[in-house]
Amino acid sequence: MSPVATTTTRTGSGLVLAVLASAQFLMTLDSSVMNVSMATVAADLGTTIAGIQTAITLYTLVMASLMITGGKVGTILGRRRAFALGLIIYAAGSLTTALAPNLGVLLLGWSLLEGVGAALIMPAIVSLVAANFPPDRRAATYGLVAAAGAMAVAAGPLIGGAVTTFASWRYVFVGEVVIVLAILLVLRKVEDVPPAKVRLDYVGSALSIAGLGMVVYGVLRSGEWGWVQPKSGAPTVLGLSPVVWLLIGGLLVLYVFLRRTSHLASIGGEPLIDPVLFRNERLTGGLSVFFAQFLIQAGVFFTIPLFLSVVLELSALETGIRIFPLSVALILTAVGIPKFRPRANPRRVVRLGLMLMTIGILILVGGMDPGANAGIVAIPMLLMGFGLGALSSQLGAITVSAVPDSQSAEVGGLQNTATNLGASLGTALIGSVLIATLSASFMAGIQNNPAVPSSVQEQASVQLASGVPFISDTQLREALDNAGVDQETADAIMAVNSGSRLEALRAALALTALLAIAALFITGRLPEEAVGAQGESPGDKVP
């Protein structure tokens, strides 16, 4: 155990944990708040929903593509200094966003500045946990920090809905500035990891940013442009969707990046990432499950709010209240497992967590029928919370304990890259399946319904060629009234749409359950002995 960690645990470890968990919460809160406030923000800034979706896309893109470089910068500057610099940039972005008069300023403040700040903060959090807590407390600490991020995803709709409904969405970002200032005031209580005398590989950094940026951007645009075949009205490149070319180009650039990394290491250079890390079974196992967790988590948080807010037409605040039990269960599990079962088998805990998530998702699939109400999400939310809490209690400690403390910032960069890629791909993949199923089911229902005139069938086929929108009964009824559709035809279309929406949600959730089951097959790379069970320190682990 390091002297630094010993000192910190004796004095002020609760404050250190609060600082790091608060920062993690902030990094995740923005997107979930913006998702439920898009219409209000768009109207306030004089832009469209598409404009706000662009801001969300660019925020994810900037953050994900800079994570590896941000981890290396933290090694050069020192972890606490990088953390503080990231917080200052993030606060500047939040303040700019709060005062934004138009979309351009919002893009500068939220998408760019906050994205850059997050890329410095999140890898530093991983290192600062390792520096401030001994091995036997790291599993609990990483669990709580990870739980803070997951809580932001679950509580975001509740916070965003309440603030937007009763005040203004801008107050969320003002609140973030206040929280950052509070963190900066007590940051000296957090023990630092001194800077290392290393150089930044600028070429490697550019390659990693370009490669990750192309992959993430392609995934984020897949719903709008199509994966391979372009959707109606989407741009094309050599007859195919730009998405497939972005993915091909990005993966090729990342391959060049990995080859350069190996070459630099072989000649005694200083690569952006030590290639030995990729041969570390414990680390790659943890990163793989991290990726799977966020893939599944993104799918669940994409589909359940749609069911609550669109199918059942609950408000953003009511939607947040229905999802909130997940946060409670998550925190209880993330805290409880390390506290009451500190020597629990990590592999077994993760597998149990994945199985609980799978059961919760399958209960939802079975419960979504035409007579379903909001009550059907209660038990699944609790099971999902327990499952996510189980994963959160183990994975962070597993990945960082696989390497010496000196490489924890690099691991932080890789870990947050994996989670951002998982979240981006999960949303895009589940969203694609949902829209594809909805479109196929709706068009088949319209074409085979004798109550729908052939003229309406033909019009629907032309206007909905790029995909059927996922809209509420109220929105559809209003659109049909404005189009002058007669009552009998409108009722038939409403019935088809209602059935198609539920079928699409069931298909999307079933795929999410399959992904959770598939994740069980990669848990064999996780350790069976608890981190710190033998007094082991990450510094003793040689990758």
Side-chain angles (χ1 to χ4, degrees):
M1 183 188 304
S2 69
V4 167
T6 305
T7 302
T8 306
T9 54
R10 287 175 181 168
T11 58
S13 61
L15 179 62
V16 174
L17 175 59
V19 165
L20 300 179
S22 297
Q24 184 74 40
F25 185 87
L26 284 181
M27 300 304 97
T28 318
L29 180 66
D30 279 2
S31 294
S32 55
V33 167
M34 195 65 81
N35 281 331
V36 300
S37 308
M38 281 195 291
T40 305
V41 177
D44 199 10
L45 298 181
T47 186
T48 62
I49 293 292
I52 304 303
Q53 287 174 330
T54 298
I56 294 172
T57 299
L58 289 179
Y59 174 65
T60 304
L61 178 67
V62 171
M63 184 168 54
S65 59
L66 290 176
M67 280 296 173
I68 293 177
T69 300
K72 193 68 171 184
V73 170
T75 302
I76 296 170
L77 295 179
R79 312 294 191 258
R80 193 171 67 188
R81 186 179 298 173
F83 185 72
L85 177 61
L87 285 170
I88 292 168
I89 295 172
Y90 192 88
S94 294
L95 183 60
T96 303
T97 303
L99 301 174
N102 53 48
L103 180 61
V105 178
L106 181 77
L107 291 172
L108 171 64
W110 188 44
S111 304
L112 180 60
L113 291 178
E114 288 197 28
V116 171
L120 288 170
I121 294 167
M122 294 175 80
I125 289 174
V126 176
S127 296
L128 290 172
V129 170
N132 284 268
F133 295 88
D136 62 342
R137 293 194 58 193
R138 285 180 195 165
T141 306
Y142 282 120
L144 286 169
V145 171
M151 268 191 67
V153 177
L158 181 62
I159 295 170
V163 175
T164 302
T165 300
F166 300 114
S168 167
W169 61 273
R170 297 178 186 273
Y171 286 110
V172 173
F173 293 92
V174 172
E176 290 186 343
V177 176
V178 173
I179 292 173
V180 167
L181 291 175
I183 292 173
L184 289 172
L185 287 174
V186 298
L187 192 56
R188 289 185 178 276
K189 299 289 186 181
V190 179
E191 294 292 342
D192 195 10
V193 180
K197 293 183 178 180
V198 296
R199 289 181 296 178
L200 181 64
D201 174 18
Y202 291 102
V203 174
S205 180
L207 288 171
S208 75
I209 292 170
L212 288 170
M214 292 169 73
V215 170
V216 172
Y217 188 66
V219 168
L220 292 172
R221 287 297 187 191
S222 60
E224 182 183 348
W225 292 344
W227 288 94
V228 179
Q229 293 298 320
K231 292 190 174 183
S232 178
T236 62
V237 177
L238 299 178
L240 299 176
S241 167
V243 170
V244 70
W245 297 113
L246 284 167
L247 295 177
I248 290 171
L251 290 173
L252 286 173
V253 172
L254 288 175
Y255 175 76
V256 173
F257 163 69
L258 292 174
R259 297 310 307 158
R260 173 182 172 80
T261 296
S262 297
H263 172 70
L264 281 178
S266 67
I267 62 173
E270 296 180 1
L272 192 65
I273 289 288
D274 185 351
V276 174
L277 294 177
F278 297 108
R279 297 194 292 272
N280 185 320
E281 182 174 305
R282 184 170 179 165
L283 174 61
T284 55
L287 292 176
S288 298
V289 181
F290 254 128
F291 174 82
Q293 174 190 337
F294 278 76
L295 186 76
I296 300 158
Q297 180 178 303
V300 169
F301 282 117
F302 179 82
T303 50
I304 293 177
L306 283 179
F307 172 69
L308 294 172
S309 63
V310 178
V311 176
L312 301 183
E313 299 193 48
L314 300 184
S315 68
L317 183 57
E318 291 170 325
T319 298
I321 290 171
R322 290 293 180 176
I323 295 175
F324 193 70
L326 181 147
S327 297
V328 177
L330 194 155
I331 285 290
L332 289 175
T333 313
V335 175
I337 291 176
K339 182 175 180 62
F340 297 108
R341 294 297 301 275
R343 298 181 183 275
N345 181 324
R347 185 187 299 175
R348 190 174 298 158
V349 171
V350 169
R351 286 174 174 170
L352 177 61
L354 288 169
M355 285 188 280
L356 288 173
M357 293 165 69
T358 304
I359 294 169
I361 295 167
L362 291 177
I363 291 174
L364 269 176
V365 173
M368 283 189 176
D369 56 51
N373 58 41
I376 70 162
V377 306
I379 298 301
M381 286 295 91
L382 288 173
L383 291 173
M384 281 292 302
F386 290 136
L388 287 171
L391 269 63
S392 298
S393 72
Q394 305 298 318
L395 293 180
I398 287 171
T399 55
V400 178
S401 68
V403 302
D405 284 351
S406 61
Q407 291 185 300
S408 57
E410 291 178 74
V411 171
L414 288 173
Q415 179 177 302
N416 285 292
T417 298
T419 57
N420 275 281
L421 284 174
S424 301
L425 185 57
T427 302
L429 184 61
I430 300 303
S432 296
V433 169
L434 183 136
I435 296 301
T437 305
L438 174 65
S439 300
S441 178
F442 182 82
M443 296 308 297
I446 291 292
Q447 298 297 332
N448 297 326
N449 195 320
V452 180
S454 58
S455 59
V456 175
Q457 294 175 357
E458 292 172 5
Q459 185 179 7
S461 297
V462 173
Q463 294 185 352
L464 302 175
S466 61
V468 176
F470 199 95
I471 57 176
S472 68
D473 288 343
T474 301
Q475 293 171 311
L476 180 58
R477 176 68 71 180
E478 184 178 337
L480 292 171
D481 289 344
N482 291 338
V485 177
D486 66 85
Q487 187 66 41
E488 183 181 357
T489 302
D491 289 343
I493 293 173
M494 293 281 293
V496 170
N497 183 63
S498 180
S500 298
R501 280 185 321 207
L502 289 177
E503 186 176 337
L505 285 168
R506 284 195 293 263
L509 284 168
L511 176 60
T512 308
L514 282 174
L515 293 172
I517 294 169
L520 288 168
F521 289 89
I522 60 175
T523 56
R525 299 171 68 88
L526 301 180
E528 295 185 271
E529 186 176 75
V531 174
Q534 301 289 334
E536 175 191 88
S537 168
D540 300 328
K541 292 289 295 182
V542 179

